[in-house]
Amino acid sequence: MKGERREIFNSASVGADKCTFCKIAKGEFPSYIVFEDETYIAFLDINPFSRGHTLVCPKAHGETVWDMKEAEIGGLFLLAARVSRAVVEATGADGFRLLQNNGEAANQVVAHVHVHVIPVMMSHKGKPMDRIKFEGKEMEATSAAIRKALARA
Ligand code: AMP
Ligand code: ZN
């Protein structure tokens, strides 16, 4: 990109050593993983908007997509699209949202790049998104169903 690079402000900014999603990527912090390879990891959002709400991340630390190489950004969104098929199949959703926040002004609260895959039902149409809590057993069952659907994809 030409010209002076603008920084995107985020008061949640932390180094990789203190980053929760880096810890999840390294297996140092528990999560409900649905997909993992050398470059990316996808796991259930712990405070989801719907059953099956999944976060897709690069394993390498970076706050916004501006910290990533173009090919890695492409790979991230390709994987998010692939994960969305498995999430919709596993949850029986009628549609899905792909959401990616960059910076505090965009409500980014975890300063490690991630794409939200949020399955939605027809009953959600026109309603504001609310967080729902699921029991550990439900989270485990949902992540297992998504992993199974991804393996078929
Ligand atoms: P954003 O507002 O785009 O930064 O979204 C961050 C998301 O990360 C929120 O939806 C949180 O519920 C989710 N989150 C925070 N900590 C964890 C965690 N340890 N495991 C899974 N999801 C998390
Ligand atoms: Zn990180």
Side-chain angles (χ1 to χ4, degrees):
M1 199 188 301
K2 285 185 183 159
E4 199 176 317
R5 188 190 143 136
R6 273 199 56 197
E7 291 301 320
I8 300 296
F9 172 71
N10 199 334
S11 62
S13 181
V14 284
D17 55 325
K18 296 220 163 48
C19 171
T20 305
F21 287 2
C22 279
K23 287 183 183 159
I24 288 174
K26 284 189 244 161
E28 295 171 2
F29 202 83
S31 67
Y32 298 96
I33 295 172
V34 301
F35 174 87
E36 183 171 14
D37 67 10
E38 272 183 21
T39 316
Y40 303 104
I41 185 163
F43 50 90
L44 294 187
D45 193 301
I46 205 71
N47 196 13
F49 283 118
S50 60
R51 188 171 77 85
H53 179 172
T54 298
L55 303 175
V56 186
C57 309
K59 285 188 169 176
H61 184 77
E63 272 189 38
T64 75
V65 290
W66 286 2
D67 297 323
M68 299 174 71
K69 295 195 177 98
E70 285 191 348
E72 290 165 353
I73 300 170
L76 179 67
F77 279 87
L78 281 174
L79 177 58
R82 189 176 152 216
V83 167
S84 72
R85 288 191 180 275
V87 165
V88 166
E89 186 184 328
T91 60
D94 299 308
F96 63 97
R97 288 192 169 100
L98 293 183
L99 178 72
Q100 199 269 315
N101 298 322
N102 296 279
E104 183 152 346
N107 289 331
Q108 183 183 14
V109 296
V110 177
H112 179 127
V113 180
H114 53 277
V115 178
H116 296 255
V117 179
I118 308 172
V120 284
M121 301 294 181
M122 280 306 277
S123 57
H124 293 135
K125 189 182 165 189
K127 295 188 182 148
M129 295 197 295
D130 271 329
R131 305 267 183 182
I132 339 164
K133 200 73 194 161
F134 292 97
E135 299 296 324
K137 270 187 188 166
E138 292 174 288
M139 295 288 273
E140 188 44 64
T142 301
S143 61
I146 297 170
R147 281 196 301 274
K148 208 168 150 192
L150 267 171
R152 279 197 297 268

